[in-house]
């Protein structure tokens, strides 16, 4: 027989009263249940008797001794021996033809946070009944003006109706943990979600407000938005005169945070891009004709928009050759806007690395102005503006995996069910796109045309990754010899390295842990590496 394992945080629930309380807290008849951590099956037995189907996810295969008999005796019970954190529950349910389910879990304390975060993201899970550490339960169920009230309370409260079912003594488990527990129930609600205009901004605002709980709301948000306290205090007071910026965040309700989120700033993320392939197919006037497969990645600048007395762009670093002002003028002229705007840019995409930072900022500006001035124009109406402002701006307007051609003003989108992952390498040089193309023209090379869109059509990503190339690579090497040396040092060690756009940023696609380690060992410590993934 298998005993409880510390490595999995196993404490088996043995209290019959608590088991029944969990069962009675749910309407199980006709329902599908996802059980996380069935252990020896004490709760599973009771779930099976009432639910339509129970899928139990267990990481510890040594517990088959207890769980196999249940599978044999009950046709509505199935155990999946996998780490739940590695399972896409929505996808799992979809393959079973199930639209919604409820979750019941005795969560190991050491992964409480990751599991709750996962359940929030799994939209087919409509209700979760969870055994958690009592301290965590108190934080989740806290009310405003309570010291246990925090970011977790607000973020979960914006998506769930929450209640505590029962406090549970540590003696209810074998072996007994050092602390007491509690059972909480989270019922997904749409009470608040429709009124949250920007979910990511809302989450950031809430986390920023509670960054240091002993600080006032004003101090925390001033640090978070990197603006003066006076400016922020004026904005908060205008939103609601009853708000006290000098109070702590714990005094605000979920509704208060939503009001702040919707009115404090308009926020847009400007995502970097990676060119998986880039072929130069000719020239049209002053432009080169290209074919490229491009994906957006989760490296981004953040742009905040607000009405102002004059058009103004403020950035955390100096941004050269970035046509945000041009985007503002074109947008206002096109739609007859006579108001002024201030845009604050938190620049994170490295400049001059072939990752499309300038184009991303321009496209984010168009989207942000559309929201700020409440025009509600579909993105299709912003396409002509994007094409006037740059070559990659049309792609950056949508941020979806795409095949782009022409000078970047023509585009076809492709689904990306499996998101690509990257190791992005930032050499210690920067290149200007026009310089790279000038050198390319003077090289008089005639690269062999491959036509990589065929791989997208066939969804043959293995061969795409194997054969993809960048026609600007040699031109970039010609400008900077050290770039060539870096590329060869990686290639000679068996790493399939590529360059994005006009460079010099390089990347590995879906790198293994060993490949990441090898790349880090080859490169000097002052060459920045960053993991990223397709959004």
């Amino acid at each position: 027989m298998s005993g409880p394992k510390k490595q999995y945080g196993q404490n088996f629930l043995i209290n019959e009263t608590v088991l029944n309380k969990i069962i009675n807290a749910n309407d199980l008849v006709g329902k599908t249940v996802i059980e996380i951590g069935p252990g020896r099956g004490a709760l599973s037995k009771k779930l099976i008797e009432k639910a339509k189907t129970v899928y139990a996810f267990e990481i510890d295969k040594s517990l088959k001794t207890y769980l196999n008999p249940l599978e044999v005796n009950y046709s509505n019970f199935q155990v999946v021996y996998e780490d739940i954190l590695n399972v896409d529950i929505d996808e799992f349910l979809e393959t079973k033809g199930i639209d919604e389910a409820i979750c019941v879990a005795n969560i190991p304390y050491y992964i409480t946070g990751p599991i709750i975060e996962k359940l929030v993201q799994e939209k087919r899970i409509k209700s979760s009944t969870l055994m958690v550490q009592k301290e965590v339960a108190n934080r989740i169920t806290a009310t405003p003006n309570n010291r246990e009230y925090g970011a977790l309370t607000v973020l979960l409260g914006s998506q769930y109706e929450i209640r505590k079912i029962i406090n549970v003594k540590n003696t209810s488990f074998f072996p007994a943990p050092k602390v007491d527990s509690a059972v909480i129930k989270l019922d997904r609600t749409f009470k608040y979600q429709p009124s949250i205009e920007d979910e990511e901004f809302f989450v950031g605002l809430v986390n920023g407000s509670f960054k240091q709980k002993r600080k006032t709301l004003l101090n925390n948000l001033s640090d978070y938005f990197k603006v003066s306290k006076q400016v922020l205090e004026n904005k908060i007071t205008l939103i609601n005169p009853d708000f006290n910026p000098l109070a702590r965040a714990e005094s605000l309700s979920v509704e208060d945070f939503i009001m702040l989120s919707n009115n404090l700033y308009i926020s847009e993320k400007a995502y970097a891009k990676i060119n998986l392939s880039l072929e130069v197919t000719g020239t049209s006037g002053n432009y080169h004709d290209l074919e490229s497969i491009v994906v957006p990645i989760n490296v981004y600048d953040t742009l905040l928009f607000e009405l102002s007395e004059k058009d103004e762009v403020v950035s955390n670093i100096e941004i050269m050759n970035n046509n945000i002002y041009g985007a503002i003028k074109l947008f206002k002229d096109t739609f007859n806007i006579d108001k002024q705007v201030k845009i604050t840019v938190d620049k994170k995409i490295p400049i001059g690395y072939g990752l499309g930072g300038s184009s991303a900022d321009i496209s984010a500006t168009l989207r942000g102005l559309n929201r700020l001035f409440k025009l509600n124009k579909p993105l299709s109406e912003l396409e002509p503006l994007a094409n006037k402002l740059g070559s990659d701006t049309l792609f950056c307007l949508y941020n979806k995996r795409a095949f782009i051609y022409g000078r970047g003003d023509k585009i076809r989108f492709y689904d990306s069910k499996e998101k690509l992952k990257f190791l992005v390498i930032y050499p210690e040089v920067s290149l200007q796109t026009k310089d790279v193309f000038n050198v390319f023209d003077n090289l008089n090379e005639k690269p062999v045309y491959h036509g990589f869109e065929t791989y997208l059509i066939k969804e043959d990503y293995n061969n795409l990754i194997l054969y993809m190339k960048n026609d600007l690579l040699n031109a970039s090497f010609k400008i900077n010899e050290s770039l060539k040396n870096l590329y060869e040092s990686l290639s000679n060690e068996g790493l399939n390295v590529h360059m994005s756009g006009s460079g010099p940023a390089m990347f590995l696609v879906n790198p293994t842990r060993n490949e990441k380690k090898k790349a880090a060992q080859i490169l000097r410590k002052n060459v920045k590496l960053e993991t990223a993934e397709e959004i």
Side-chain angles (χ1 to χ4, degrees), residues 38 48 154 156 158 218 222 224 237 339 397 446 463:
I48 293 166
V154 176
L156 288 178
S158 70
L218 186 62
S222 175
Y224 178 72
T237 304
K339 298 177 182 178
L397 189 65
K446 292 186 177 180
N463 277 321

Side-chain angles (χ1 to χ4, degrees), residues 115-130:
I115 284 184
I116 290 178
E117 183 179 340
K118 182 174 185 60
L119 291 173
V120 170
Q121 296 168 353
E122 304 285 0
K123 300 306 181 185
R124 292 182 185 235
I125 299 294
K126 302 303 182 185
S127 173
S128 297
T129 302
L130 310 174

Side-chain angles (χ1 to χ4, degrees), residues 236-254:
I236 291 173
T237 304
L238 282 173
I239 292 169
N240 187 341
D242 292 334
F243 280 160
N244 178 9
L246 300 180
R248 291 177 181 168
E250 65 194 42
S251 67
L252 272 64
S253 66
V254 173

Side-chain angles (χ1 to χ4, degrees), residues 174-377:
F174 171 75
K178 294 180 180 179
V179 295
D180 290 341
S181 299
V183 178
I184 58 172
K185 190 163 189 283
L186 311 178
D187 289 310
R188 198 178 290 275
T189 176
F190 295 98
K191 178 180 178 181
Y192 296 121
Q193 286 301 299
S195 62
I196 299 175
E197 295 177 2
D198 186 330
E199 181 72 28
E200 287 190 39
F201 184 74
F202 173 74
V203 171
L205 172 77
V206 172
N207 284 326
S209 299
F210 287 96
K211 184 71 173 179
Q212 296 187 51
K213 290 195 68 174
R214 295 182 64 82
K215 279 190 172 185
T216 65
L217 178 70
L218 186 62
N219 281 334
N220 275 328
L221 290 182
S222 175
D223 291 342
Y224 178 72
F225 288 116
K226 299 179 177 61
V227 297
S228 74
K229 295 175 187 176
Q230 186 60 56
V231 168
L232 198 59
E233 184 173 3
N234 291 340
K235 288 179 71 67
I236 291 173
T237 304
L238 282 173
I239 292 169
N240 187 341
D242 292 334
F243 280 160
N244 178 9
L246 300 180
R248 291 177 181 168
E250 65 194 42
S251 67
L252 272 64
S253 66
V254 173
E255 292 91 339
D256 292 335
F257 278 108
I258 292 173
M259 185 182 293
L260 274 181
S261 174
N262 289 347
N263 295 281
L264 198 56
Y265 292 102
I266 296 295
S267 173
E268 281 287 339
K269 286 183 169 57
Y271 290 98
K273 55 87 179 174
I274 279 182
N275 298 81
L276 296 181
S277 66
L278 191 155
E279 296 189 281
V280 182
T281 58
T283 57
S284 299
N286 296 324
Y287 294 98
H288 289 79
D289 291 325
L290 307 174
E291 288 188 6
S292 184
I293 296 172
V294 194
V295 298
I297 60 172
N298 62 343
V299 176
Y300 56 84
D301 301 337
T302 302
L303 282 68
L304 299 179
F305 299 78
E306 57 185 311
L307 295 175
S308 180
E309 295 180 352
K310 64 177 181 178
D311 289 332
E312 183 180 9
V313 179
V314 179
S315 177
N316 58 322
I317 61 173
E318 185 177 2
I319 45 178
M320 304 294 290
N321 303 319
N322 193 317
N323 199 17
I324 292 177
Y325 278 111
I328 295 172
K329 184 178 187 310
L330 180 60
F331 188 95
K332 289 169 61 177
D333 288 348
T334 302
F335 297 112
N336 298 314
I337 303 295
D338 60 0
K339 298 177 182 178
Q340 282 66 52
V341 60
K342 178 180 178 181
I343 302 177
T344 303
V345 183
D346 184 15
K347 191 74 181 162
K348 293 292 174 62
I349 303 174
I351 298 173
Y353 275 84
L355 298 175
S358 178
S359 296
D361 290 346
I362 290 169
S363 296
T365 297
L366 296 178
R367 294 193 304 269
L369 294 176
N370 189 33
R371 293 173 56 207
L372 180 70
F373 296 129
K374 301 186 186 302
L375 300 186
N376 299 317
K377 300 289 184 183

